[in-house]
């Protein structure tokens, strides 16, 4: 299975002044597989340590963080000498032993020649509980479910990806029905690696649902096992309200849909827990789309998205027969799946800050406003081929961005102020950015 993140890891390895690398991401997005695959392909030796219920490693790191001592213990554990020039050290579920996280500071300062990659499913949660974190002494890589392009490659459609990467839309439009059919499959299957692998092997939609239900059940178990007891009921209620939030006409998050009379303060811990786990993406409103967008965010108004469109389609009970009904799927549940899909692809583009914009009196709304540190671009999401873009015009006339972007099932078209981008080509925004800069 091809993961774009593998290229980022190779760049990390090639850097002279690399620091220990921490991979962040929700449970079951493929962090362990990525680290092991990277080690197998790029190194002569791999020392893999899983800190979950590993008493020997817990005692080793609790006994002191002198690098020489730790290396001796790691070599005894591995059963061989560790050559830093050709060995990858993998620390998995590193949040289970906070001292192992703290040790990264000393590896960086005293033994930078050792190549260390870490991951942990609940790492974000651990960091909020006072763990001594090596600020400035590590690097980060965020891993998400497979993007649509990665899904295409898993389906054996690498040539379809190459067409889009070359911006050969004239040729791509010839195969637009193929792209649309594959996109419908992606809405149903999503990008969780285990689900994609099973679908690539057997093309069995029933098996897809069974695996997704298992993943959702595992997330629910995590709530009970790892979250503070007093927060568990609210985490569950908040989590289960997200499909209803996204299938509203106005997708702004409303606490009253979680529970009648609910207040933001009551759900702060639950919200923090879900975002720290990587299970939800919080997208805030901006009042004015100026750089940096963060300076203009409205902390009280936001949309909440799930980690994966396939898991959302499972939670809302999307039926298999909708896949056969033309392009109706893209409008299903008031376009909730389409907006979730677009957000998910935008998250995979490195260096983007993602918000949304509404006019002061709510007379216009742009689904996403994104900045890459240089420019701000509005992105309007349209299910199917509806090309009415009143809000986008209002935004363009008010703020005159270099480029306005509308994504729908209509064909690619570049106009003076507007880029029409097919939904199946949303990841091409990464390329378009380079053109606009």
């Amino acid at each position: 299975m091809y993961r774009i993140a593998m290229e980022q890891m190779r760049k990390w390895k090639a850097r002279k002044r690399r620091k220990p690398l921490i991979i962040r991401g929700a449970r079951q997005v493929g962090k362990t597989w990525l680290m092991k695959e990277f080690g197998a392909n790029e190194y002569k030796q791999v020392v893999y340590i899983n800190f979950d219920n590993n008493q020997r490693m817990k005692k080793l790191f609790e006994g002191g963080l002198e690098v020489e001592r730790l290396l001796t213990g790691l070599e005894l554990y591995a059963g061989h000498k560790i050559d830093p020039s050709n060995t990858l050290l993998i620390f998995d579920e590193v949040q289970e032993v906070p001292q192992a996280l703290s040790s990264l500071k000393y590896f960086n300062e005293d033994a930078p020649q050792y190549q260390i990659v870490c991951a942990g499913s609940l790492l974000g949660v651990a960091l909020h509980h006072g763990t001594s974190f090596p600020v400035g002494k590590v690097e980060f890589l965020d891993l998400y479910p497979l993007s649509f392009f990665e899904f295409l490659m898993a389906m054996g459609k690498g040539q379809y990806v190459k067409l889009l990467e070359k911006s050969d839309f004239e040729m791509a439009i010839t195969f637009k029905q193929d792209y649309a059919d594959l996109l419908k499959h992606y809405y149903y299957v999503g990008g969780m690696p285990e689900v994609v692998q099973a679908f690539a092997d057997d093309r069995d939609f029933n098996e897809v649902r069974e695996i997704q239900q298992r993943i959702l059940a595992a997330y629910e178990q995590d709530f009970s096992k790892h979250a503070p007891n007093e927060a568990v009921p609210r985490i569950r209620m908040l989590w289960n309200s997200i499909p209803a939030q996204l299938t509203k006409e106005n997708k702004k998050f409303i606490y009253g849909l979680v529970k009648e009379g609910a207040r933001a303060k009551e759900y702060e811990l639950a919200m923090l827990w879900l975002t720290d786990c990587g299970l939800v993406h919080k997208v805030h409103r901006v009042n004015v789309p100026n750089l940096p967008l963060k300076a203009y965010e409205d902390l009280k108004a936001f949309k909440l998205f799930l980690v994966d469109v396939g898991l959302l389609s499972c939670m809302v009970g999307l039926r298999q027969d909708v896949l056969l009904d033309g392009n109706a799927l893209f409008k299903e549940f008031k376009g909730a799946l389409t907006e979730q899909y677009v957000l998910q692809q935008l998250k995979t583009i490195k260096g983007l800050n993602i918000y949304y914009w509404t006019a002061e009196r709510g007379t216009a709304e742009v689904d996403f406003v994104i900045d890459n540190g240089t420019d701000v671009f509005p992105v309007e999401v349209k299910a199917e081929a509806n090309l009415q873009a009143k809000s986008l015009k209002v935004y363009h006339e008010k703020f005159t961005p270099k480029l306005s972007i509308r994504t729908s099932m209509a064909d690619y078209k570049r106009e003076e102020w507007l880029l029409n981008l097919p939904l199946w080509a949303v990841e091409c925004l990464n390329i378009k950015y380079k053109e606009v800069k």
Side-chain angles (χ1 to χ4, degrees):
M1 189 178 288
Y2 173 76
R3 298 304 308 264
I4 294 166
M6 194 68 79
E7 303 301 323
Q8 293 171 255
M9 295 183 78
R10 289 194 185 104
K11 288 177 183 175
W12 169 80
K13 183 189 178 189
R15 281 201 292 276
K16 280 184 179 179
R17 294 178 182 81
R18 65 174 169 262
K19 300 174 182 178
L21 180 67
I22 294 179
I23 301 175
R24 298 181 292 197
R27 189 182 291 282
Q28 300 193 47
V29 295
K31 298 184 297 296
T32 299
W33 176 89
L34 182 68
M35 293 188 296
K36 287 183 172 180
E37 190 75 2
F38 175 61
N41 292 335
E42 301 291 328
Y43 294 84
K44 287 184 181 177
Q45 289 186 324
V46 175
V47 176
Y48 174 80
I49 298 162
N50 189 325
F51 286 96
D52 190 23
N53 291 322
N54 191 329
Q55 290 304 314
R56 276 196 290 177
M57 284 296 103
K58 189 175 181 183
K59 284 179 182 175
L60 172 65
F61 282 85
E62 284 179 347
L65 299 181
E66 301 83 8
V67 170
E68 196 173 322
R69 176 185 167 278
L70 292 176
L71 286 168
T72 300
L74 292 171
E75 287 175 345
L76 287 168
Y77 186 82
H80 57 78
K81 191 81 177 161
I82 295 174
D83 180 351
S85 65
N86 59 30
T87 303
L88 180 67
L89 290 169
I90 298 176
F91 293 174
D92 207 355
E93 298 299 345
V94 69
Q95 81 282 350
E96 295 296 327
V97 179
Q99 293 86 350
L101 259 180
S102 302
S103 75
L104 300 179
K105 173 180 185 288
Y106 302 101
F107 274 103
N108 176 242
E109 290 175 348
D110 303 332
Q113 69 274 28
Y114 286 89
Q115 301 175 64
I116 305 174
V117 177
C118 312
S121 299
L122 298 167
L123 190 54
V125 174
L127 299 185
H128 269 286
H129 282 82
T131 300
S132 176
F133 190 72
V135 177
K137 306 296 180 181
V138 295
E139 300 179 43
F140 292 101
L141 187 156
D142 290 312
L143 189 65
Y144 302 105
L146 275 76
S147 70
F148 181 54
F149 282 10
E150 289 174 318
F151 175 81
L152 288 177
M153 295 181 83
M155 295 299 115
K157 302 291 184 181
Q159 292 299 322
Y160 285 59
V161 175
K162 285 181 182 175
L163 273 183
L164 296 177
E165 286 179 339
K166 291 189 293 186
S167 294
D168 189 349
F169 286 99
E170 192 174 337
M171 177 72 81
I173 286 166
T174 308
F175 299 96
K176 66 180 179 180
Q177 193 54 54
D178 291 348
Y179 282 111
D181 290 342
L182 287 159
L183 183 57
K184 284 191 279 186
H185 289 167
Y186 183 74
Y187 275 31
Y188 194 94
V189 175
M192 301 304 281
E194 185 186 355
V195 183
V196 174
Q197 189 63 65
F199 186 69
D201 291 342
D202 303 318
R203 298 297 199 274
D204 184 341
F205 289 103
N206 291 320
E207 185 184 13
V208 162
R209 277 291 180 259
E210 286 171 13
I211 299 170
Q212 288 168 336
Q213 284 162 357
R214 281 207 305 271
I215 291 171
L216 289 168
Y219 287 164
E220 292 261 359
Q221 286 171 359
D222 278 346
F223 301 162
S224 300
K225 186 177 176 184
H226 299 286
N229 288 336
E230 68 277 10
V232 172
R234 287 178 181 145
I235 290 171
R236 282 217 171 90
M237 290 167 73
L238 201 155
W239 170 255
N240 289 320
S241 82
I242 295 174
Q245 303 277 357
L246 289 174
T247 50
K248 295 190 281 89
E249 207 68 58
N250 177 353
K251 294 174 177 54
K252 176 188 168 186
F253 189 86
I254 297 171
Y255 285 97
L257 276 182
V258 181
K259 183 183 177 183
E260 192 175 343
R263 295 174 180 273
K265 195 167 185 179
E266 299 169 345
Y267 287 86
E268 275 178 4
L269 182 58
M271 186 79 72
L272 186 65
W273 204 89
L274 287 170
T275 52
D276 283 348
C277 287
L279 293 181
V280 300
H281 300 303
K282 201 174 184 184
V283 177
H284 283 279
R285 173 181 176 265
V286 286
N287 303 304
V288 183
N290 289 343
L291 284 170
L293 284 175
K294 187 162 184 62
Y296 299 91
E297 72 180 340
D298 177 356
L299 294 174
K300 292 180 181 177
F302 59 89
K303 302 177 190 178
L304 216 55
F305 295 91
L306 289 184
V307 64
D308 179 60
V309 67
L311 294 181
L312 177 61
S313 78
C314 181
M315 287 175 80
V316 297
L318 183 73
R319 306 180 319 278
Q320 290 182 34
D321 59 351
V322 180
L323 299 173
L324 303 172
D325 191 11
N327 285 342
L329 170 61
F330 302 115
K331 294 185 290 186
E332 193 81 357
F333 307 113
K334 297 187 174 68
L337 294 172
T338 299
E339 200 166 327
Q340 165 74 41
Y341 157 76
V342 172
L343 180 276
Q344 201 169 325
Q345 308 319 300
L346 293 177
K347 291 294 289 185
T348 66
I349 299 174
K350 196 175 177 184
L352 278 193
N353 298 302
I354 307 169
Y355 295 86
Y356 75 99
W357 171 83
T358 58
E360 285 179 15
R361 295 182 182 177
T363 51
E365 177 175 330
V366 173
D367 300 298
F368 299 109
V369 178
I370 51 183
D371 92 62
N372 58 355
T374 309
D375 296 288
V376 176
F377 301 93
V379 180
E380 184 154 84
V381 177
K382 291 291 183 185
E384 212 187 9
N386 179 353
L387 295 187
Q388 292 295 315
K390 293 175 184 174
S391 291
L392 198 57
K393 284 178 183 171
V394 169
Y395 179 100
H396 184 82
E397 287 166 7
K398 190 174 177 69
F399 303 111
T400 60
K402 279 187 182 179
L403 183 68
S404 294
I405 300 154
R406 176 175 59 206
T407 182
S408 70
M409 289 308 291
D411 292 346
Y412 174 89
K413 187 179 180 184
R414 178 69 188 262
E415 299 174 32
E416 187 179 341
W417 67 278
L418 181 65
L419 171 66
N420 287 288
L421 197 61
L423 282 167
W424 38 263
V426 166
E427 280 176 85
C428 290
L429 280 176
N430 206 10
I431 301 158
K432 293 295 159 195
Y433 263 145
K434 292 166 188 169
E435 290 179 12
V436 174
K437 276 186 181 180

